[in-house]
């Protein structure tokens, strides 16, 4: 695990909030030279701390047909590799968006996206469940996203009522 310096941590925080921030803006916000910011970002990219710049999209505003499911998977770890080999086999499927090793009642949490419920169901029954080490699956469909990656999708209004105290 790499230790990051204070500047790198500040750059990461600002880019996490908005990846469109330019080195010039980061320089102004942090009071550092633009070259120093560019070098910090380049090092973070080279070290694979920054893996990708992505956009968070509220798909419900565009495409109601897209379906996301969170699948709880219980597995038997492989001798010598533990959970790694099975997790790799699962995350290589294009339908799979995320795979997490979990503590608790199940071992892996798999996030899958499909065009409809049938596509996700077929993925579970034809690709995921037949894996030898998979003991059981439990599929949970996401009905609505309210907040993702710290971003609230729905317009919300502040409670402007006055507090009444006895």
């Amino acid at each position: 695990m790499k230790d990051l310096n204070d500047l790198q941590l500040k750059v990461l925080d600002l880019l996490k909030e908005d990846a469109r921030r330019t080195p010039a803006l980061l320089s102004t916000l942090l009071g550092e030279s633009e070259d120093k910011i560019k070098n910090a970002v380049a090092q973070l990219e080279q070290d694979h701390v920054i893996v990708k710049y992505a956009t968070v999209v509220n798909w419900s505003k565009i495409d109601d047909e897209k379906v996301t499911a969170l699948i709880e998977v219980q597995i038997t770890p492989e001798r010598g590799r533990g959970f790694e080999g099975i997790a790799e086999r699962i995350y290589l499927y294009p339908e799979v968006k995320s795979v997490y090793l979990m503590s608790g009642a199940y071992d892996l949490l798999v996030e899958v996206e499909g065009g409809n419920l049938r596509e996700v169901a077929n993925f579970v029954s034809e690709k995921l469940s037949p894996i030898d080490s998979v003991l059981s699956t439990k599929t949970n469909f996401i009905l609505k996203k309210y907040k993702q990656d710290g971003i609230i999708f729905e317009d919300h209004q502040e409670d402007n009522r006055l507090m009444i105290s006895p």
Side-chain angles (χ1 to χ4, degrees), residues 13-26:
D13 283 339
L14 290 171
L15 288 176
K16 179 70 175 135
E17 286 176 13
D18 186 352
R20 296 176 300 171
R21 289 183 168 145
T22 63
L25 178 58
L26 293 171

Side-chain angles (χ1 to χ4, degrees), residues 5-6 15 36 41 47 57 75 77 84 88 108 113 129 146:
N5 64 42
D6 190 48
L15 288 176
K36 201 169 182 181
V41 170
D47 293 343
V57 177
I75 58 177
E84 301 301 315
E88 181 178 348
L108 297 176
E113 250 180 27
S129 293
Y146 294 100

Side-chain angles (χ1 to χ4, degrees), residues 22-48:
T22 63
L25 178 58
L26 293 171
S27 170
T28 301
L29 292 171
L30 296 173
E32 297 286 351
S33 72
E34 195 171 334
D35 285 340
K36 201 169 182 181
I37 297 296
K38 286 179 182 178
N39 289 338
V41 170
Q43 188 63 51
L44 290 165
E45 291 171 343
Q46 182 180 336
D47 293 343
H48 296 279

